[in-house]
């Protein structure tokens, strides 16, 4: 059943591409809807809460732009406005330092009620996937667990945010390779120091000398995504415990989210 739903969603994504192509859609600002988004952001997104008023307005506009150009569909669930705003926030946060950024390698986000398996099934015992960026026939799609999405923005969510993790993978993929060195974000001069730092920190994690999630040792791409979760979720803590890593990520994402 889930596979059939996926096929239908892919067809919808293709239709959206045919209608919009690579043209930026005309965005109609609905003040009532914007006020609703603002309320959700105010109560649920700490990153937004820490912005000044002018930056908050820009963030709201970026959220609206993302939702105007991206299909969000649910598998056996009804997508709520909270779901939509949290997904859009996850997309905007990593690229907020780049005002003209658009996700040209994404057409739709498919939201599952909870974890799913490699066959996109969300029932049964062998389910551990909380999010993934599609490849092959799923290229241009992102799959997310609603539970993981909500948990990532919870007040006690800690350093983890699955949706931000997946959008960082999408950024990494922009240059054609998901390798932890996104050419769109990092210049050639900083690539070698970044790789060196990654490998040093991965070694410390393996030795139990780092508070970064062990999953970051999987490979360079996962290190980048896990470190970015930490950077955007607990920037003060990352800056205190890993100042050099914080500085590298701050340069990479053109942001300095730590609160003085």
């Amino acid at each position: 059943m889930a596979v059939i739903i996926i096929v239908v969603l892919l067809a919808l994504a293709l239709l959206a591409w045919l209608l919009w192509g690579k043209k930026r859609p005309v965005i109609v600002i609905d003040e009532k809807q914007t006020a609703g988004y603002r309320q959700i952001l105010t109560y649920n997104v700490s990153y937004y809460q820490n912005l000044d008023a002018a930056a908050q307005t820009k963030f709201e506009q970026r959220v609206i732009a993302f939702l105007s150009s991206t299909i969000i569909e649910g598998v056996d669930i009804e997508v709520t406005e909270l779901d939509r705003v949290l997904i859009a926030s996850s997309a905007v946060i990593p690229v907020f330092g780049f005002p003209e950024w658009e996700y040209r390698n994404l057409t739709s986000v498919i939201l599952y009620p909870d974890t799913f398996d490699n066959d996109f099934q969300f029932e049964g015992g062998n389910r551990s996937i909380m999010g993934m960026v599609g490849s092959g026939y799923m290229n241009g799609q992102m799959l997310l667990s609603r539970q993981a999405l909500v948990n990532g923005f919870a007040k006690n969510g800690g350093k983890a945010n699955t949706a931000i993790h997946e959008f960082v993978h999408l950024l990494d993929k922009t240059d054609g390779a998901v390798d932890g060195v996104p050419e769109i974000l990092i210049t050639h001069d900083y690539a070698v120091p970044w790789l060196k730092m990654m490998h040093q920190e991965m070694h410390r994690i393996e030795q139990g000398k780092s508070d970064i999630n062990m999953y970051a040792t999987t490979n360079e791409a996962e290190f980048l995504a896990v470190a970015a979760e930490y950077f955007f979720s607990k920037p003060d803590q990352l800056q205190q415990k890993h100042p050099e890593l914080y500085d590298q990520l701050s340069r990479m994402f053109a942001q300095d989210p730590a609160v003085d």
Side-chain angles (χ1 to χ4, degrees):
M1 182 63 181
V3 174
I4 295 174
I5 295 173
I6 291 291
V7 172
V8 172
L9 294 176
L10 288 172
L12 289 172
L14 177 61
L15 176 61
W17 186 86
L18 291 173
L19 290 173
W20 291 328
K22 292 187 176 181
K23 296 180 180 179
R24 182 180 297 184
V26 176
I27 300 170
V28 179
I29 303 297
D30 182 323
E31 291 302 329
K32 183 177 180 181
Q33 187 178 51
T34 302
Y37 291 167
R38 186 178 301 121
Q39 185 176 30
I40 292 172
L41 290 167
T42 299
Y43 283 101
N44 296 279
V45 182
S46 59
Y47 178 96
Y48 170 86
Q49 296 163 12
N50 291 329
L51 299 174
D52 61 32
Q56 286 183 344
T57 298
K58 292 177 182 178
F59 192 93
E60 294 161 13
Q61 293 169 347
R62 299 281 294 271
V63 163
I64 293 168
F66 178 85
L67 293 175
S68 299
S69 61
T70 309
I71 296 171
I72 301 176
E73 294 285 347
V75 176
D76 271 19
I77 55 173
E78 182 178 347
V79 177
T80 67
E81 285 296 86
L82 175 61
D83 296 329
R84 287 166 51 80
V85 172
L86 292 185
I87 290 170
S89 297
S90 306
V92 172
I93 287 170
V95 297
F96 196 56
F98 305 95
E100 301 302 318
W101 178 267
E102 294 179 54
Y103 287 96
R104 296 189 179 275
N105 55 349
L106 178 71
T107 55
S108 65
V109 177
I110 302 170
L111 193 64
Y112 280 78
D114 208 330
T115 53
F116 49 94
D117 62 23
N118 287 317
D119 295 320
F120 313 122
Q121 300 295 318
F122 56 94
E123 296 177 345
N126 191 27
R127 298 177 294 110
S128 61
I129 302 174
M130 294 185 289
M132 67 170 10
V133 173
S135 59
Y137 77 94
M138 292 290 292
N139 197 45
Q141 322 302 310
M142 179 182 292
L143 283 67
L144 285 174
S145 154
R146 171 192 270 171
Q147 192 60 54
L149 171 69
V150 173
N151 288 346
F153 286 95
K155 299 298 183 183
N156 59 348
K159 304 185 289 286
N161 188 304
T162 296
I164 288 178
H165 181 113
E166 297 305 325
F167 275 102
V168 170
H169 277 324
L170 202 62
L171 288 174
D172 194 6
K173 190 179 181 180
T174 303
D175 58 15
V178 185
D179 56 6
V181 188
E183 293 179 10
I184 193 71
L185 301 180
I186 190 167
T187 63
H188 179 73
D189 291 343
Y190 287 109
V192 173
W194 170 244
L195 283 167
K196 182 180 179 180
M197 179 186 295
M198 275 201 292
H199 293 149
Q200 289 174 340
E201 191 62 39
M202 289 166 77
H203 184 59
R204 282 194 286 268
I205 296 169
E206 291 170 341
Q207 292 182 316
K209 297 179 180 179
S210 173
D211 68 331
I212 296 174
N213 192 302
M214 180 64 74
Y215 191 64
T217 64
T218 305
N219 53 47
E220 290 86 352
E222 296 301 345
F223 181 91
L224 170 63
V226 170
E229 291 182 73
Y230 196 161
F231 177 74
F232 290 113
S233 298
K234 296 290 182 182
D236 294 347
Q237 185 174 323
L238 181 66
Q239 187 181 49
Q240 179 183 2
K241 294 188 175 184
H242 307 274
E244 188 179 357
L245 175 59
Y246 179 91
D247 289 344
Q248 287 273 19
L249 292 171
S250 180
R251 184 183 297 111
M252 186 182 299
F253 290 105
Q255 300 188 55
D256 188 8
V259 178
D260 295 330

